[in-house]
Amino acid sequence: MPLARFLTVSFAAALLAACSGAAPTPSPDPSAPPDAKVRLRVSLVQSLPPSATFGWLPSALISLDGRVLSGGAVPAIYPGPLVIPIVERRITPNGWARIVGAARDAGLLAGVRDFTGGSVAPGSMVARLEILADGRVYDVTGDPSRIMVCVTTPCNPRPGTPEAFGGFVSRLSDLASWLGADLGPEALHVPAGYAVVIGPPPANEQGLAQPPMAWPLAGGFGGFGKPLADGSDGRCGTLTGGDLAALRPALQAANQLTKWRDPADDTFHGLVVRPLLPGDGDLCEGLV
């Protein structure tokens, strides 16, 4: 996901501020049909097993209640945090209308579903765009690398072409520059839960000193989630409610190389953690 500006407060402090705020809860888009999960979502898709893409976040996401979510910035050091912060900004009705208008001008709402041009190489990455407009959900795919290169302006690809799709998706990666005052100030997004894959300990090829952390939930890893279908000793499950409250401080303190000790048998494991975002279904589906 595109990174927002560097947060100058700590993640824990921002989380406290977000939880103590009294912002009103907005209503979902009244024009949304029953099958709509988000106003807009761009997901990158590649021919890889679900375990390889489990941690991938949408490259653009706007919830039904008008929140623009993106990855918060983190220090450029290794190892990075296990869980990156997510920031949100409110979009105005005018801002949303500008996005829908741009999609219409690009020919993406005319009933065509494939904007790849039929020339995507095997194994290449494509983008899936879901967008709510005209009371229905449009679900289209295209090649995000097909960006029109121009020597002079204006640089407007022909509507309905792969370049029109690629240009629209590219603009979504920097909504702040595109929409300006139609986006509100940043606030920390507090996910309602996390999906977690438990696997082998992370490889620490550089031998960096990393103190292990203990899995705090009763029953150890064996009592969490469901076994992975690949026959490994891994598991996948979702953290919400009291379990999330117990584990959230440890998740915030952990990094990509953190080893987690199973209190049941003293074995060590690694975690892949994915925040639950608006519109998400069961993130363990296809893994268990």
Side-chain angles (χ1 to χ4, degrees):
M1 299 179 72
L3 295 183
R5 61 176 175 79
F6 187 83
L7 301 179
T8 57
V9 295
S10 71
F11 183 61
L15 177 62
L16 179 60
C19 291
S20 62
T25 301
S27 300
D29 188 333
S31 69
D35 62 334
K37 297 179 174 61
V38 292
R39 287 194 191 184
L40 180 145
R41 176 167 53 192
V42 177
S43 308
L44 298 179
V45 182
Q46 196 171 11
S47 298
L48 294 171
S51 59
T53 61
F54 175 81
W56 289 11
L57 298 176
S59 60
L61 178 64
I62 303 178
S63 65
L64 286 176
D65 56 14
R67 292 172 292 163
V68 178
L69 277 68
S70 61
V74 295
I77 58 175
Y78 180 79
L82 179 65
V83 181
I84 68 168
I86 305 294
V87 295
E88 65 178 54
R89 305 177 74 173
R90 299 289 178 180
I91 188 171
T92 67
N94 182 64
W96 175 241
R98 290 170 64 186
I99 291 176
V100 173
R104 183 171 287 110
D105 292 343
L108 307 183
L109 309 182
V112 178
R113 298 195 61 181
D114 187 348
F115 294 91
T116 62
S119 59
V120 177
S124 296
M125 188 175 294
V126 299
R128 176 188 179 189
L129 167 66
E130 301 163 82
I131 182 169
L132 172 63
D134 309 321
R136 59 169 287 191
V137 176
Y138 294 83
D139 191 342
V140 300
T141 57
D143 184 350
S145 68
R146 294 282 289 271
I147 306 296
M148 190 174 197
V149 179
C150 304
V151 177
T152 60
T153 57
C155 186
N156 299 317
R158 183 166 53 87
T161 60
E163 288 74 19
F165 177 93
F168 178 77
V169 169
S170 178
R171 295 184 75 185
L172 294 174
S173 67
D174 190 5
L175 286 178
S177 298
W178 178 9
L179 301 182
D182 281 320
L183 283 182
E186 287 183 354
L188 186 74
H189 175 75
V190 182
Y194 292 92
V196 179
V197 168
I198 301 169
N204 188 352
E205 298 176 354
Q206 300 180 25
L208 301 176
Q210 297 293 320
M213 302 186 73
W215 180 257
L217 302 185
F221 289 135
F224 176 74
K226 298 179 180 179
L228 297 182
D230 61 7
S232 68
D233 293 331
R235 305 184 70 86
C236 185
T238 302
L239 289 168
T240 57
D243 287 347
L244 176 59
L247 195 55
R248 194 192 294 270
L251 293 178
Q252 294 168 5
N255 62 47
Q256 297 166 317
L257 294 181
T258 297
K259 296 190 300 183
W260 295 78
R261 182 178 59 81
D262 189 335
D265 58 12
D266 285 331
T267 57
F268 289 95
H269 303 265
L271 304 184
V272 179
V273 181
R274 163 74 154 79
L276 300 181
L277 300 178
D280 280 339
D282 182 2
L283 296 178
C284 290
E285 185 177 358
L287 292 175
V288 298

